[in-house]
Amino acid sequence: MNLTMFDASALGRSSIAMFAISLATVISGCSGEEKSKAASQTAAKVNKDEVTVHQINFILQQRRNLRPEQTEAASQQILDGLIDQQLALQKANDLKVDRDPRVMQQVEASRREIVARAYLEKIGDAAPKPSTEEIKKYYDDKPALFRERRIYSIQEIAIEATPEQQAELRNKLASSKNINEFVEFLKSKEYRFNGNQAVRAAEQLPLNSLESFSKMKDGQAAMVPAASGVQVIVLASSRSQPASEEQARPAIEQFLFNERKRKLITEDMKAVRAAAKIEYVGKFAQAASGAASGAARLVEASASAASGNDTDAIRQGLGLKK
């Protein structure tokens, strides 16, 4: 509200009085509007504090898969949770819990993580979105994922085995007539193993091994290394269910965009780290030689977090039924 400065002595008493009344009315009106606006943003009053609509909306925005018709019920649920949180916060303040050294450490750690992640997100936001040509190229380059997409019924057998035993297992798998014969062999040799059956679409398989997997025929088996031994994957059956370029376009666009964000963030953090003066002290100085690989893993984790939890949009975004 802008008021023009003037010389009050140039006005008559009646003019001054009228001006004063008008000014009081305007100020009163503004105050009323502000109070009304503030009241409209209050969702609940909890003793001396308030829970606002902004707080509810902030949490709603984090729920990506919430449907419009679920918003009202979700808002009420969130409000009840915020009320309980506010009550706990009030009691914590009464007991001065916020001054506990462990709590202070947790608060500071959360602050550092939030601010650092906000910086990474800001860097990632500069990534350009993929063009129509780039989306089409990705579609054409991944036939097993799209044009020749299949739904796989698979059997998985996780086997505990030493490196020396793996050669024996591989030979026996190759010579077995069927998977039942191979399982009987495992039992006779007292191998520790467990099995699992699953139905998975192409996008639910590891992208780096999908091409090899797509070449398997029904009934074939493959053996891959595992943490405690090997894993045998048997393709029990499969059926074709291709995805058109139109169906796949949104998922591909998001996937490529996230990959660009991750690359930008990784490059930025490497540059920042290279420009910084970092000195390892004490026992950490002895392990400094392995710090580079650790830092690379941290950057990758940070980049994934900044580009969203569902960075694998191909896996999550096709929206096709099995």
Side-chain angles (χ1 to χ4, degrees):
M1 188 183 307
N2 296 320
L3 298 178
T4 303
M5 299 303 294
F6 60 92
D7 184 359
S9 62
L11 295 175
R13 290 184 179 179
S14 60
S15 298
I16 295 176
M18 289 299 296
F19 174 77
I21 293 172
S22 300
L23 180 59
T25 302
V26 172
I27 292 175
S28 175
C30 289
S31 177
E33 289 175 4
E34 291 173 358
K35 288 181 180 178
S36 176
K37 183 178 180 181
S40 66
Q41 296 302 322
T42 301
K45 294 184 178 180
V46 186
N47 294 322
K48 60 183 178 180
D49 299 314
E50 294 180 347
V51 175
T52 68
V53 175
H54 295 304
Q55 290 173 277
I56 297 173
N57 290 340
F58 178 78
I59 297 176
L60 278 175
Q61 290 171 3
Q62 315 308 310
R63 300 189 177 182
R64 300 183 179 183
N65 298 324
L66 192 68
R67 297 193 298 272
E69 63 270 20
Q70 297 175 317
T71 302
E72 186 174 349
S75 298
Q76 184 63 51
Q77 184 183 40
I78 292 169
L79 174 59
D80 290 336
L82 288 171
I83 289 173
D84 289 342
Q85 183 187 66
Q86 191 63 44
L87 288 169
L89 181 60
Q90 290 173 358
K91 297 300 292 184
N93 289 336
D94 292 342
L95 297 173
K96 296 181 171 55
V97 173
D98 58 323
R99 299 184 185 180
D100 184 306
R102 291 173 299 177
V103 175
M104 294 174 68
Q105 274 190 324
Q106 291 174 349
V107 171
E108 176 59 20
S110 296
R111 188 194 70 82
R112 287 163 57 89
E113 181 181 355
I114 291 169
V115 175
R117 182 171 295 183
Y119 167 75
L120 295 176
E121 289 176 351
K122 185 177 180 65
I123 296 299
D125 287 342
K129 289 192 175 183
S131 65
T132 302
E133 292 75 17
E134 289 169 326
I135 294 173
K136 178 174 175 53
K137 184 178 186 304
Y138 190 89
Y139 178 88
D140 292 338
D141 289 346
K142 306 287 183 183
L145 196 56
F146 304 116
R147 186 178 291 111
E148 300 172 8
R149 177 177 180 266
R150 293 158 70 192
I151 307 299
Y152 302 91
S153 295
I154 60 177
Q155 295 175 322
E156 299 170 319
I157 305 174
I159 308 169
E160 294 184 16
T162 64
E164 294 75 21
Q165 293 173 316
Q166 291 181 21
E168 178 187 37
L169 289 171
R170 188 170 287 102
N171 291 334
K172 184 59 183 177
L173 180 64
S175 63
S176 295
K177 297 179 181 178
N178 53 54
I179 193 61
N180 292 331
E181 180 180 328
F182 180 72
V183 169
E184 290 302 320
F185 167 79
L186 295 177
K187 292 178 180 178
S188 66
K189 292 291 185 177
E190 297 185 345
Y191 277 97
R192 292 173 61 89
F193 68 95
N194 59 73
N196 178 53
Q197 293 183 341
V199 177
R200 296 197 176 111
E203 66 274 9
Q204 294 174 312
L205 297 171
L207 296 182
N208 58 356
S209 61
L210 176 59
E211 185 176 353
S212 298
F213 199 86
S214 67
K215 296 177 181 178
M216 292 176 62
K217 297 179 180 180
D218 293 355
Q220 284 189 321
M223 183 178 292
V224 295
S228 58
V230 295
Q231 184 178 36
V232 174
I233 302 175
V234 183
L235 179 56
S237 63
S238 65
R239 68 179 188 272
S240 175
Q241 193 175 93
S244 68
E245 185 177 345
E246 183 180 358
Q247 287 175 301
R249 187 178 296 114
I252 296 174
E253 181 178 19
Q254 189 62 50
F255 177 78
L256 293 178
F257 182 55
N258 287 338
E259 286 297 301
R260 290 180 176 184
K261 289 172 69 174
R262 185 183 294 110
K263 183 179 179 181
L264 270 182
I265 292 169
T266 301
E267 291 175 349
D268 180 83
M269 287 306 298
K270 285 182 178 179
V272 169
R273 188 179 181 89
K277 182 180 180 180
I278 302 173
E279 180 181 357
Y280 293 91
V281 181
K283 66 178 182 180
F284 298 100
Q286 301 173 1
S289 59
S293 60
R297 287 193 296 270
L298 178 60
V299 167
E300 178 64 21
S302 299
S304 297
S307 59
N309 291 331
D310 293 333
T311 53
D312 192 352
I314 298 300
R315 180 174 300 171
Q316 302 294 337
L318 281 177
L320 298 172
K321 295 182 180 180
K322 294 179 180 179

